[in-house]
Each structure stands twice: as C-alpha cells, then as structure tokens.
C-alpha cells in the first residue's frame, strides 16, 4: 500500500471521554505510517455530532477508515455514509439501525451498571430560555464501571476530566446506517460494565460485521491497545483499493 493510497484513520471518541482515550492506539497506527485524525466530538446530539464528524471526513483527501468507541459508534453509523469512508470499526460501540435511537437500542436489554451511576446536570443553551441536560458518570463509580482494567491512577484522572454527553444524544434517531453499505468490524468488550456486551453483540450481528471479543473493560483502547490496532489494521488491509 503506497502512502498516497493508505487511508486516514479517524478515531471518534465516545461519551464521558475525549480523544485522549486513544492515546495508546495512536502510536501503534503512526508507527505503521498511517495518517491519523482524532477530533473532539461535541457530544451535544447524535445528529449534530455526526454532521460535525462528517464535515471532518469530507475535508480529508483520499479514503478514510472511521473508528468509533462507545457512543462514537452511533456517530460513525451516521457519518460513515460519506463517499470517502471505506470501512467502519466499532469498539465497544453502538451500531444503530436507521431510525433507531440509543435509548431504543439499549432498552431491548437489561441495564448495565452505568444506568445507576449517571449524574444529570442542567446547562444553558445559547439563544434559548430552555436548559439542556448534561449526563456524566459519578466520579467515585467511574473507575470500576468504565475502566476496571486500566491503572487506578489513570482511571481517577479520566473520572474527573469527563466530557459530558447531552441527554439529547440518547433520543436522536439515526437518519442513516452506514454499515448497510460499508464493510464493518466490531469489537465486543466482554467484561464491559458501561454498555451491556449483549447490546454490542446484537448491533454487530444485525449488521453482519466481522466481530472479535476481548476480555476488557469499556475502555478497551487503553486496556488493550495492540488488539484494537490489530482490528483497525485488518479493516484497512481488507478494504484497501
């Protein structure tokens, strides 16, 4: 694969996190010679977040492999319809059907430990008298629920530096499902306490994805970066033009 045909890897983080959640995967990909972009997702609404990531993708010359962790999986499901996206990779993520919301998909399965650890905080919406609602994870419960196999000191830093997700993101219905037309790979974190692993399995199986399972917490990119990089490489190599 020449440098000109090698895809750009776009890493889309999830809720309660930021692009630093890919800090151990990025060096693996850079060492392979890939161009990597790890944008900041606004985490305000599924429709808006997907539009933002789609705008990032459109400005990248050449093919793109979109990688989404957790809520980022829902984002790439919508943004992945962009013409230059050649593959999708889901990491402990939501693979929504067209017309389905996060709340609907999760509602099919028993709650994970996350459900009882969420904290709701109002925030002002510019130009509106209405307030929005930010959703975060109880700081004390975050390490065990989100990052059980990540070093404790790092998990504590992640807990106090969360990127909130607006509640609107749970309600938005996906206007498209890119996995219907793009080759897709899915990683199940089988020891996940943030998303019920069966939610991950169901979405991947419904989409007919190539699926792997890793005995990992939700933050599989920090706990098992080499396995994550391996799956991304497989997606790149399988779909290389």
């Amino acid at each position: 694969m020449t440098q000109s045909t090698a895809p750009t890897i776009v890493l889309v983080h999830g809720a309660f996190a930021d692009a630093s959640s890919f800090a151990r995967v990025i060096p693996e990909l850079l060492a392979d010679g890939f161009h990597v972009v790890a944008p900041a997702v606004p985490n305000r609404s599924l429709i808006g977040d997907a539009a933002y990531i789609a705008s990032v993708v459109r400005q990248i010359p050449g093919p793109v492999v979109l990688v989404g962790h957790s809520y980022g999986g829902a984002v790439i499901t919508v943004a992945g319809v962009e013409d230059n996206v050649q593959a999708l990779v889901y990491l402990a993520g939501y693979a929504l059907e067209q017309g389905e919301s996060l709340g609907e998909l999760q509602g099919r399965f028993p709650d994970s430990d996350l459900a009882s650890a969420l904290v709701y905080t109002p925030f002002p919406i510019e130009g509106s008298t209405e307030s929005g609602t930010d959703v975060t994870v109880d700081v004390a419960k975050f390490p065990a629920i989100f990052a059980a196999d990540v070093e404790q000191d790092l998990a504590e830093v992640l807990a106090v530096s969360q990127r909130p997700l607006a509640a609107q993101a749970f309600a938005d219905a996906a206007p498209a499902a890119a996995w219907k037309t793009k080759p897709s790979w899915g990683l199940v974190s089988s020891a996940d306490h943030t998303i019920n692993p069966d939610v991950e399995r169901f979405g991947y199986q419904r989409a007919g994805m190539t699926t792997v399972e890793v005995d990992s917490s939700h933050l599989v990119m920090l706990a098992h970066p080499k396995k994550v990089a391996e799956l991304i490489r497989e997606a790149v190599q399988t779909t290389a033009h």
Side-chain angles (χ1 to χ4, degrees), residues 11 13 16-28 69 91-92 142-143 146-159 161 187 189 214-229 232:
L11 302 171
H13 68 78
F16 323 126
D18 59 27
S20 68
S21 56
F22 290 104
R24 291 176 179 166
V25 172
I26 290 171
E28 298 271 339
H69 173 245
L91 306 173
F142 183 100
F146 221 72
D149 51 358
V150 174
E151 306 91 309
Q152 181 69 18
D153 57 348
L154 175 56
E156 289 171 359
V157 170
L158 297 171
S161 56
L187 184 152
S189 287
V214 178
D215 183 15
S216 176
S217 71
H218 193 56
L219 281 177
V220 64
M221 311 90 71
L222 289 172
H224 300 280
K226 290 189 182 299
K227 290 183 178 178
V228 169
I232 295 170

Side-chain angles (χ1 to χ4, degrees), residues 3-235:
Q3 195 66 24
S4 60
T5 60
T8 298
I9 314 295
V10 178
L11 302 171
V12 181
H13 68 78
F16 323 126
D18 59 27
S20 68
S21 56
F22 290 104
R24 291 176 179 166
V25 172
I26 290 171
E28 298 271 339
L29 300 175
L30 292 177
D32 287 346
F34 291 119
H35 297 295
V36 178
V37 178
V41 183
N43 282 6
R44 298 293 83 187
S45 70
L46 176 58
I47 303 297
D49 294 344
Y52 176 75
I53 293 301
S55 76
V56 171
V57 167
R58 279 196 298 275
Q59 294 173 69
I60 295 172
V64 165
V65 170
L66 263 183
V67 180
H69 173 245
S70 188
Y71 166 67
V75 175
I76 70 169
T77 295
V78 180
V81 297
E82 291 299 315
D83 289 344
N84 57 331
V85 173
Q86 71 179 29
L88 307 171
V89 180
Y90 291 77
L91 306 173
Y94 294 104
L96 298 179
E97 173 61 276
Q98 186 172 354
E100 185 177 55
S101 70
L102 285 176
E104 287 170 341
L105 176 55
Q106 288 207 135
R108 297 166 180 248
F109 297 89
D111 284 343
S112 69
D113 293 343
L114 176 69
S116 61
L118 294 176
V119 177
Y120 301 92
T121 311
F123 69 89
I125 298 176
E126 187 177 353
S128 174
T129 56
E130 300 288 313
S131 290
T133 302
D134 261 344
V135 185
T136 53
V137 182
D138 182 317
V139 168
K141 296 177 179 177
F142 183 100
I145 290 175
F146 221 72
D149 51 358
V150 174
E151 306 91 309
Q152 181 69 18
D153 57 348
L154 175 56
E156 289 171 359
V157 170
L158 297 171
V160 301
S161 56
Q162 291 177 55
R163 186 83 178 266
L165 181 68
Q168 178 63 41
F170 292 97
D172 282 357
W179 49 258
K180 291 178 181 290
T181 56
K182 312 277 179 156
S184 303
W185 282 257
L187 184 152
V188 175
S189 287
S190 58
D192 202 330
H193 289 273
T194 299
I195 299 177
N196 181 335
D198 284 339
V199 173
E200 301 165 22
R201 293 183 185 106
F202 173 81
Y204 300 167
Q205 288 166 3
R206 179 172 62 181
M209 292 186 199
T210 302
T211 303
V212 300
E213 299 223 0
V214 178
D215 183 15
S216 176
S217 71
H218 193 56
L219 281 177
V220 64
M221 311 90 71
L222 289 172
H224 300 280
K226 290 189 182 299
K227 290 183 178 178
V228 169
E230 199 176 297
L231 188 65
I232 295 170
R233 286 187 200 106
E234 181 183 329

